[in-house]
Amino acid sequence: AWPKGAKLSGFSTITEIVEKDIKPEDIRLDKELLYDKHTLKDTYPYKDTTRHFQWEKIKERLALLENIRKKPAQWCILQNYKNRNGEAPLVKSFKRDAYKRIADTLGVERYQGIPLFLTDDTLTAERYGLDGLLTRHLGEEGKFTKVEPVFIGGEWYAPTKYIKLIPDSVVFNKAIFIDRHNQNITTLERKERGYWLIRSMNPATTGQHRPPYAQETPLGMFVLQEKKTKMIFLKDGSAATGGFAPYASRFNNGGYIHGVPTNAPATGIIEYSYTLGTIPRSHMCVRNATSHAKFIFEWAPVNETIIFVLE
């Protein structure tokens, strides 16, 4: 190997090329829609005001995604859907939230949560991590894995049973942005470094705060975890089937991006609802026109698509 700065006959000095971080203002967005039904404009009327797509915030998050891509890393997902990996232990400080369930002081629930321990204390968890968060894997130590969830930040220990590794080949070329404030959703696909194509711009309905059955769609940076052609849901407070939501893509706990729900005993597909793009109405999920949910279902690969929920 040639030493740094060595000169070769007939050639200029060898220098290291350091790729600089991308800034939000460096991100280029172009519209090349793959889905063009129920499409919204950048700014559009809503009642006596206007709503819009928050492109500046979207650029900030795309810059983050670009910059974490360029650094070699082993990626993983925090997972505990329906406590399948075991009920998380109690954290040091907890409370009963509006749903009468245990939550940490930041409001993250124990149910479906992932215990996160300080690196100098693995006896009692400090807080809970959300199911589905994109996380940097920093190595295993005994029964624990050192992790750095991108949305939370900082280094933590999590029991290894709550960690799912993402294959090294994954590069996160597709991103979905859900805007709780403006009740809209947009999909983007990376063309090259710093250059993203807008694939759809649609109305959506996010989760509402209605204890004990409905709660807000959580903010965060999630990974698409699984898909169901039909996601069956129950009637509130009952074990009876309430109906189904078509083309459901799960990213957090019981939070799915899905089409317009069909309530039992009906069995047909509903394409659109006048409530889309208005106010939060869902049970944590993100409701879309059914054809748009189908587009996402077919376009976005599991474990390779990032879902940002922003305010």
Side-chain angles (χ1 to χ4, degrees):
W2 292 98
K4 181 179 178 181
K7 292 184 178 181
L8 300 179
S9 177
F11 293 90
S12 59
T13 301
I14 297 174
T15 57
E16 291 182 357
I17 299 175
V18 178
E19 204 173 58
K20 295 182 179 179
D21 280 355
I22 286 180
K23 297 178 181 179
E25 55 268 29
D26 299 326
I27 297 291
R28 174 184 168 188
L29 301 179
D30 279 341
K31 292 180 186 176
E32 289 190 15
L33 302 182
L34 295 178
Y35 173 92
D36 197 10
K37 297 179 183 177
H38 318 294
T39 302
L40 298 171
K41 295 181 178 180
D42 291 343
T43 300
Y44 52 93
Y46 178 71
K47 293 186 176 181
D48 58 351
T49 182
T50 58
R51 285 183 169 175
H52 62 280
F53 287 87
Q54 299 191 69
W55 297 123
E56 295 310 309
K57 286 186 179 180
I58 289 171
K59 286 182 178 182
E60 288 176 3
R61 286 155 179 79
L62 288 177
L64 169 65
L65 188 54
E66 287 277 7
N67 292 328
I68 66 174
R69 280 171 48 103
K70 74 184 183 66
K71 299 173 184 177
Q74 172 67 68
W75 295 103
C76 61
I77 310 171
L78 302 185
Q79 288 192 329
N80 198 22
Y81 177 50
K82 293 185 177 179
N83 281 356
R84 287 177 180 171
N85 295 322
E87 182 180 41
L90 290 173
V91 292
K92 293 175 184 175
S93 298
F94 58 88
K95 59 183 180 180
R96 297 278 178 181
D97 63 15
Y99 303 93
K100 306 302 180 184
R101 295 196 286 248
I102 291 174
D104 63 20
T105 54
L106 298 174
V108 180
E109 290 188 354
R110 180 188 192 188
Y111 176 61
Q112 303 187 99
I114 293 85
L116 297 177
F117 296 78
L118 296 173
T119 54
D120 60 356
D121 180 5
T122 56
L123 294 178
T124 306
E126 182 72 17
R127 62 174 298 178
Y128 297 119
L130 288 165
D131 171 80
L133 286 181
L134 176 66
T135 301
R136 186 176 278 107
H137 186 287
L138 301 177
E140 296 184 13
E141 299 183 26
K143 295 181 179 180
F144 291 88
T145 297
K146 183 179 281 189
V147 296
E148 183 184 4
V150 178
F151 179 70
I152 294 174
E155 295 183 2
W156 307 83
Y157 279 134
T160 301
K161 66 179 181 178
Y162 297 101
I163 305 299
K164 178 180 178 179
L165 287 174
I166 297 176
D168 292 340
S169 58
V170 173
V171 290
F172 307 126
N173 282 326
K174 294 182 177 181
I176 301 170
F177 286 84
I178 297 157
D179 186 333
R180 298 197 316 187
H181 179 73
N182 290 283
Q183 295 291 285
N184 60 40
I185 184 169
T186 183
T187 59
L188 296 102
E189 186 168 359
R190 187 179 190 268
K191 187 171 184 179
E192 59 187 52
R193 177 173 160 80
Y195 182 22
W196 291 74
L197 302 177
I198 300 166
R199 296 308 200 184
S200 65
M201 297 167 57
N202 282 82
T205 301
T206 60
Q208 65 175 312
H209 183 77
R210 186 170 59 83
Y213 303 116
Q215 60 192 100
E216 300 91 339
T217 305
L219 300 173
M221 183 179 183
F222 303 96
V223 182
L224 176 58
Q225 299 186 69
E226 68 170 319
K227 300 177 184 180
K228 296 179 180 179
T229 305
K230 286 187 176 182
M231 186 269 287
I232 306 299
F233 58 85
L234 304 178
K235 292 181 180 179
D236 287 347
S238 169
T241 298
F244 72 91
Y247 302 110
S249 301
R250 189 176 70 81
F251 60 95
N252 161 257
N253 290 1
Y256 293 79
I257 297 170
H258 62 64
V260 178
T262 294
N263 295 321
T267 58
I269 295 290
I270 303 170
E271 163 61 8
Y272 197 80
S273 168
Y274 73 93
T275 62
L276 291 173
T278 58
I279 61 174
R281 293 173 181 268
S282 299
H283 289 60
M284 184 193 286
C285 293
V286 182
R287 191 178 304 172
N288 288 239
T290 294
S291 58
H292 187 246
K294 183 182 181 190
F295 162 71
I296 289 175
F297 190 90
E298 295 173 344
W299 170 81
V302 170
N303 297 332
E304 300 179 28
T305 303
I306 299 299
I307 297 171
F308 293 90
V309 182
L310 53 85
E311 191 68 79

